[in-house]
């Protein structure tokens, strides 16, 4: 029994000694491989910046320039990996990896369908001219400025400075609104006036208030329409065009228009009524005076 235990310890010692010897013998190769990987990492960062800078001079879309830069950096890292494996005398392992790439690629492709779908969608988004970095878009319930389009997701910066990361596949499969594609935007202001108001005067004052703020060079008309008899007011909408390219410009224009309309109405005694509710009691109320 003791002989078997002693033989087992001898085998373990021999294996550990063999591993240490192999490590010492391959230590220079390991150091070279580590140096190659570190150099390839920093080289990839340099190549990424250089390629993006070079591509941006020829390609107007920043998303395409960034995509080309990322692909170039990935190629440099892969080249460094192959060189590191070769420095460690793992050429047989490298050949085995390449030989099994077909089968493993199929398995990985089935397991990562969502990731690959986002990857392909990122390539498609990068080449789309109707969505670029710096545009203000609205999609999937979020609205903000596009600050990055990478191979996996699109990043929006909202009004409150929060970042929203949306998978590329979601952007491709759902509609989006791009405020930056046009330089003009239609603003709609809703309001209501009292039933005693002169409706022609209300229309005139509203159009004058808007006309003083936004003078249209293309002779587009300021549209005014009464829409309904409300519970306590006659409601209307006023539509006009402004120079705007994002949702903030739209809110600013609407806010200024509301203040201008309110000022005009106050100056001409036009009432914007509060909601009024009339309560009708069909039964007579008996009010008994308290007895003294």
């Amino acid at each position: 029994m003791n002989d078997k235990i002693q033989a087992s310890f001898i085998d373990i010692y021999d294996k550990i000694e063999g591993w240490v010897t192999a490590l010492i013998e391959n230590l220079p190769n390991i150091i070279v491989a580590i140096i190659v990987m570190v150099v390839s990492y920093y080289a990839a960062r340099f190549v990424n910046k250089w390629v993006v800078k070079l591509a941006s001079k020829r390609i107007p879309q920043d998303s395409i320039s960034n995509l080309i830069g990322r692909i170039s950096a990935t190629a440099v890292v892969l080249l460094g990996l192959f060189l590191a494996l070769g420095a460690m005398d793992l050429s047989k392992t490298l050949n085995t990896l390449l030989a099994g790439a077909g089968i493993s690629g199929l398995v990985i492709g089935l397991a990562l369908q969502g990731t690959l779908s986002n990857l392909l969608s990122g390539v498609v988004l990068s080449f789309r001219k109707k969505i670029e970095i710096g545009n203000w878009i609205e999609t999937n319930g979020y609205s903000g400025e596009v600050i990055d389009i990478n191979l996996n997701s699109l990043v929006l910066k909202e009004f409150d400075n929060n970042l929203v990361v949306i998978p590329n596949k979601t952007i491709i499969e759902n509609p989006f609104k791009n405020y930056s594609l046009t330089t003009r935007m239609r603003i709609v202001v809703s309001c209501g006036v009292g039933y005693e108001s002169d409706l022609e005067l209300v229309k005139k004052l509203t159009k004058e208030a808007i006309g003083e703020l936004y003078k249209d060079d293309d002779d587009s008309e300021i549209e005014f329409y009464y829409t309904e008899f409300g519970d306590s007011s006659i409601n209307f909408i006023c539509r006009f065009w402004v120079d705007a390219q994002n949702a903030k410009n739209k809110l600013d224009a609407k806010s200024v228009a509301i203040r201008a309309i309110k000022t005009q109405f106050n100056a001409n005694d036009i009432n914007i009524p509060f909601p009024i509710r009339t309560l009708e009691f069909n039964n007579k109320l008996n009010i008994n005076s308290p007895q003294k």
Side-chain angles (χ1 to χ4, degrees), residues 29 43 54-55 57 66 96 104 113 132 140 153 170 173 175 187 195 212 232 243 259 267 270 283 285:
N29 295 336
L54 183 64
K57 295 180 180 179
N66 293 337
T96 303
S104 61
Q113 290 184 21
E132 300 178 10
N140 295 283
S153 59
T170 307
E173 293 180 348
I187 309 299
Y195 276 87
E212 292 175 359
S232 56
D243 294 328
R259 293 201 305 268
I270 302 296
N283 296 328
L285 298 178

Side-chain angles (χ1 to χ4, degrees), residues 144-156:
E145 179 186 358
V146 179
I147 62 173
D148 188 24
I149 301 175
N150 55 51
L151 293 178
N152 186 52
S153 59
L154 181 143
V155 183
L156 289 181

Side-chain angles (χ1 to χ4, degrees), residues 36-177:
V36 169
M37 289 303 301
V38 172
V39 171
S40 65
Y41 170 74
Y42 285 102
R45 294 182 60 180
F46 172 77
V47 168
N48 183 21
K49 294 181 180 179
W50 181 74
V51 170
V52 169
K53 184 177 180 180
L54 183 64
S56 61
K57 295 180 180 179
R58 300 174 178 269
I59 302 173
Q61 288 181 253
D62 293 336
S63 56
I64 298 179
S65 301
N66 293 337
L67 175 63
I68 296 174
R70 290 188 179 104
I71 293 175
S72 302
T74 303
V76 172
V77 172
L78 291 177
L79 178 61
L81 176 62
F82 290 149
L83 292 176
L85 292 175
M88 294 177 64
D89 293 330
L90 295 176
S91 57
K92 292 183 179 180
T93 303
L94 181 60
N95 293 333
T96 303
L97 290 174
L98 293 175
I103 299 175
S104 61
L106 178 61
V107 175
I108 294 174
L110 293 174
L112 301 176
Q113 290 184 21
T115 302
L116 293 177
S117 178
N118 286 325
L119 179 66
L120 295 177
S121 299
V123 175
V124 174
L125 280 177
S126 298
F127 284 90
R128 272 195 174 181
K129 293 184 178 181
K130 293 186 177 181
I131 180 169
E132 300 178 10
I133 294 176
N135 289 167
W136 191 279
I137 70 169
E138 181 179 329
T139 180
N140 295 283
Y142 300 98
S143 177
E145 179 186 358
V146 179
I147 62 173
D148 188 24
I149 301 175
N150 55 51
L151 293 178
N152 186 52
S153 59
L154 181 143
V155 183
L156 289 181
K157 180 188 285 186
E158 294 187 302
F159 278 124
D160 52 9
N161 208 38
N162 286 328
L163 299 181
V164 181
V165 181
I166 306 175
N168 291 327
K169 180 182 177 182
T170 307
I171 304 294
I172 291 292
E173 293 180 348
N174 292 281
F176 64 88
K177 183 187 293 185

Side-chain angles (χ1 to χ4, degrees), residues 206-260:
T206 302
K207 297 182 74 170
E208 286 179 354
I210 301 301
E212 292 175 359
L213 294 173
Y214 304 103
K215 298 184 183 299
D216 298 319
D217 297 331
D218 57 355
D219 296 328
S220 57
E221 181 185 1
I222 298 175
E223 301 178 2
F224 183 97
Y225 304 102
Y226 287 105
T227 56
E228 64 176 346
F229 291 99
D231 294 336
S232 56
S233 63
I234 299 177
N235 300 326
F236 67 86
I237 61 171
C238 181
R239 303 193 302 187
F240 55 95
W241 293 89
V242 298
D243 294 328
Q245 289 186 317
N246 57 51
K248 183 179 183 301
N249 297 147
K250 180 179 180 181
L251 290 176
D252 288 338
K254 192 169 185 177
S255 176
V256 172
I258 289 174
R259 293 201 305 268

